[in-house]
Amino acid sequence: MALAALVVKDIKQLLRDPKTLFMVLFMPVMVMAMFVAGYGESRGAVPIAVVNLDGGSVSWQLVETLRNSGDFFVRYYAATPEAGAELVRSGRVYATIVIPEGFSADVLRGRSTRLIVILDSSYATVSELVWEAVVVAIQGFLNRVSERYGTFSIDVQRSTVYGPIVTRVDMFTAVVMGILLHLVPMSLIAVSISKERERRTFEQLIMTPVSSTDIVLGKLLAYSIVTVSDMILTLAVAVAVFGVRVKGAFLDLMVVSLLLLVCSLSLGLLISVVSKNQLQAYQTAIFIFIPAMLFSGFLTPAELLSPEARMISRLLPLYYFLRAFRNIQLRGWSLYDITEEIVALSLETLVFLLVAIRMLKLRVE
C-alpha cells in the first residue's frame, strides 16, 4: 500500500537523525524537569529593605513577621524613605517597606495606621507577588496583635473550588504539553517537504504512483506515531515522577492532545508546502508560534488581555488546547464540557489539511 510505504519511509528518516529524535523524545521531559527545579513550590525569598521610623516594639514585631513569612529576605535597613526608595531604584531590592512614626502607639490604642510599600514596577510580576505577600503577612500580623493587645482584627477566610491547592507544576503541565504537541511537531514536519526538495528526492516521490493526498496523509501519520509516543512518555513522567495530578479522565486528555497534534501537523504541512527551503520553513514555524505563546494563555490568561488580543486568541489552536487540557486535568471536566474547544480544534485542523493538500497539488503540477 502506497500510504503505508510513505509512513514507513518518513519514520525511518526521522529515526536516522539522532538530534531530531532526541528533541522529540526528551525535550518536553527536560523542560518539565527544569521547571520543577527552578520554579517548583520551593522558591527563593525576595530581597527587601525596611525603613522603621517608629522603632517601637510593635513595629519590630511586624518586621519579624515579614522575615518569618518565608517570602522575604530583609537585606537592608534604611534610615529614611528616600534611602529606601533609592535601594529599589538601584535594583538592590525589589521593595522597601516604610513603617511610619507612631505606628506602635496607633496599634496599641486601636487607631487606624498605615504602611508604605515602595515597589519596583519595572518587574510587574515580582511587584504583584510582593504586594500579595505583604498583604498576607500584614493580615497575619493583625491577628497576632489582636490576640496579644486586645485590639480588633478581621479574619479573612479562604475558600477554593477545584482545590484545595493547585501547584505551579500542575499548572505548567499544560504548557509543556502545548510545546510538545504544537511547536515540536509543527517545526519538524514543516521542514519535511522542504528537506526533500533540497535533497532532490521530492521529484522522485511525485513520480511514483501516489497522490498529493497520500503524501500529506503519509507524513501526517508518520509524525503522529512518533509524537504520540513522546506525548504518552511525557504524561507518564509528569504523573509518576513529578506528582502532577489529573482529575479528569486520562482518555479525555489523550483525545484533546491528539486533536492539537493533528492540527499542529496539518499547519506544519501547510508551512512546508509553501516554503522554498528548510530555513524558511523553520522561520515560519517559529514566527507562527510567537503569537501563540503570547496570546493563547501561556503567560497570562487570554481573558485578561486587551479586546484586540482576545480576537487573535480565538484564531489560535493552542488557546483552545490550553483551555481544554486545564479544564480536564485540573477541574475534572469531561469531553462534553469542552465541546466548544473540540469543535474549534477540529475545524482548524480540517482547514489546514485541506489547504495543504490543495497547495501541494498546485506545486506538483
Side-chain angles (χ1 to χ4, degrees), residues 9-10 13-14 185-202 205 215-216 218-220 222-223 265 268-273 275 277-278 281-282:
K9 176 187 73 70
D10 281 298
Q13 286 181 346
L14 185 60
M186 181 175 63
S187 301
L188 289 175
I189 203 168
V191 302
S192 60
I193 295 179
S194 301
K195 183 187 296 185
E196 296 205 27
R197 285 199 181 102
E198 291 183 3
R199 293 178 176 177
R200 300 188 181 279
T201 58
F202 188 67
L205 181 63
I215 296 175
V216 169
K219 292 186 175 296
L220 201 67
Y223 283 86
L265 290 172
L269 275 173
L270 179 57
I271 295 172
S272 186
V273 167
S275 299
N277 51 58
Q278 295 184 61
Y282 267 125

Side-chain angles (χ1 to χ4, degrees), residues 28-43:
V29 176
M30 292 176 62
V31 169
M32 178 163 286
M34 288 186 289
F35 176 82
V36 172
Y39 298 93
E41 295 311 299
S42 59
R43 64 184 184 191

Side-chain angles (χ1 to χ4, degrees), residues 121-349:
S121 59
S122 64
Y123 288 87
T125 303
V126 177
S127 295
E128 187 62 27
L129 290 174
V130 170
W131 175 257
E132 292 177 357
V134 168
V135 171
V136 172
I138 296 302
Q139 181 62 49
F141 170 75
L142 285 176
N143 292 338
R144 284 188 289 274
V145 167
S146 173
E147 294 174 358
R148 179 173 298 183
Y149 301 109
T151 59
F152 78 93
S153 67
I154 300 176
D155 183 19
V156 181
Q157 296 183 346
R158 179 173 176 174
S159 178
T160 63
V161 295
Y162 302 118
I165 297 175
V166 176
T167 67
R168 280 175 288 177
V169 177
D170 293 334
M171 289 292 297
F172 191 70
T173 302
V175 175
V176 174
M177 297 303 297
I179 296 174
L180 164 65
L181 298 169
H182 193 54
L183 176 61
V184 175
M186 181 175 63
S187 301
L188 289 175
I189 203 168
V191 302
S192 60
I193 295 179
S194 301
K195 183 187 296 185
E196 296 205 27
R197 285 199 181 102
E198 291 183 3
R199 293 178 176 177
R200 300 188 181 279
T201 58
F202 188 67
E203 290 78 2
Q204 301 175 9
L205 181 63
I206 62 177
M207 292 300 294
T208 59
V210 294
S211 65
S212 57
T213 302
D214 289 333
I215 296 175
V216 169
L217 292 180
K219 292 186 175 296
L220 201 67
L221 290 173
Y223 283 86
S224 295
I225 292 172
V226 175
T227 312
V228 164
S229 304
D230 192 16
M231 176 181 65
I232 296 174
L233 172 64
T234 304
L235 273 177
V237 171
V239 173
V241 178
F242 301 120
V244 171
R245 293 176 298 173
V246 177
K247 290 190 173 183
F250 187 81
L251 181 61
D252 292 348
L253 284 182
M254 293 294 295
V255 170
V256 173
S257 300
L258 283 172
L259 268 176
L260 178 66
L261 171 61
V262 177
C263 186
S264 303
L265 290 172
S266 301
L267 179 57
L269 275 173
L270 179 57
I271 295 172
S272 186
V273 167
V274 300
S275 299
K276 295 182 179 179
N277 51 58
Q278 295 184 61
L279 179 60
Q280 189 180 94
Y282 267 125
Q283 291 175 336
T284 304
I286 296 298
F287 179 79
I288 290 176
F289 185 73
I290 289 174
M293 180 180 65
L294 294 176
F295 301 129
S296 63
F298 253 53
L299 308 175
T300 302
E303 289 73 20
L304 302 181
L305 302 176
S306 65
E308 296 78 11
R310 289 200 298 271
M311 292 178 62
I312 298 175
S313 299
R314 301 304 188 272
L315 302 175
L316 302 172
L318 198 55
Y319 165 77
Y320 297 103
F321 169 77
L322 291 177
R323 282 169 54 93
F325 193 94
R326 284 170 174 160
N327 284 334
I328 295 174
Q329 178 204 352
L330 303 177
R331 294 179 172 178
W333 288 13
S334 66
L335 293 178
Y336 177 79
D337 298 317
I338 56 169
T339 303
E340 177 186 345
E341 288 79 8
I342 291 177
V343 171
L345 281 172
S346 301
L347 288 176
E348 292 195 348
T349 301

